[in-house]
Amino acid sequence: MSLMIIQSDEQLTQLIQQSDARPLFLYKHSSRCGSSRVAHVALNHFISRYPDVSSRFTFGVIRVVEEKDLSDRVSLRLGIPHVSPQIILINQQRVVWHASHQQINSNQLCKVALHFLHAPETRGKIYID
């Protein structure tokens, strides 16, 4: 399992459409932000530490500095204000959960993923303390 770098509207649209069959964790990363570096490590840690869980998701990355216009369009399209770092869980082309900064850690990602996978009746929105 790896992080797919998204560089075009076409790639973004395809991944969002594919969330009908496989949920998508969309991560917005800034190469100029220390918090983004920490969140990036946490995301990779989640993928490697919990492969039985993480393998059930697709992971996409938008580099907000390099792909600023695309990052801005994500915010407009999904209706979520831009923050970086930011992670957004998309299922059936809708946002079901999002977090930023210190909320992005491997334990929280695993908790959200497990909740999502085991509580289909709550897939409209996920609220985790």
Side-chain angles (χ1 to χ4, degrees):
M1 182 61 48
S2 63
L3 302 172
M4 177 188 303
I5 296 175
I6 303 168
Q7 296 178 293
S8 69
D9 283 325
E10 294 78 19
Q11 285 178 298
L12 177 64
T13 297
Q14 183 180 24
L15 285 175
I16 291 174
Q17 288 172 346
Q18 290 173 354
S19 76
D20 286 342
R22 185 183 183 105
L24 167 66
F25 274 109
L26 181 60
Y27 171 62
K28 292 172 75 176
H29 176 77
S30 172
S31 58
R32 297 180 184 162
C33 172
S35 294
S36 277
R37 284 188 285 281
V38 171
H40 191 88
V41 168
L43 181 57
N44 280 304
H45 190 239
F46 164 64
I47 291 169
S48 64
R49 184 174 179 192
Y50 303 103
D52 292 344
V53 177
S54 64
S55 64
R56 298 173 70 184
F57 296 84
T58 300
F59 294 87
V61 178
I62 294 178
R63 299 172 300 176
V64 300
V65 172
E66 295 84 349
E67 311 296 342
K68 183 177 180 349
D69 291 339
L70 183 59
S71 176
D72 291 343
R73 285 192 295 278
V74 167
S75 297
L76 290 172
R77 180 174 184 173
L78 299 178
I80 296 180
H82 167 74
V83 182
S84 67
Q86 183 176 47
I87 192 154
I88 305 165
L89 177 56
I90 301 169
N91 182 58
Q92 297 179 350
Q93 302 185 42
R94 294 184 333 208
V95 173
V96 295
W97 176 82
H98 62 97
S100 65
H101 293 88
Q102 288 76 20
Q103 296 170 328
I104 305 172
N105 61 68
S106 61
N107 290 333
Q108 179 76 350
L109 292 171
C110 187
K111 188 176 182 181
V112 167
L114 286 171
H115 181 82
F116 174 82
L117 293 169
H118 293 102
E121 68 280 358
T122 62
R123 286 192 180 170
K125 289 281 182 183
I126 297 174
Y127 301 97
I128 302 283
D129 293 330

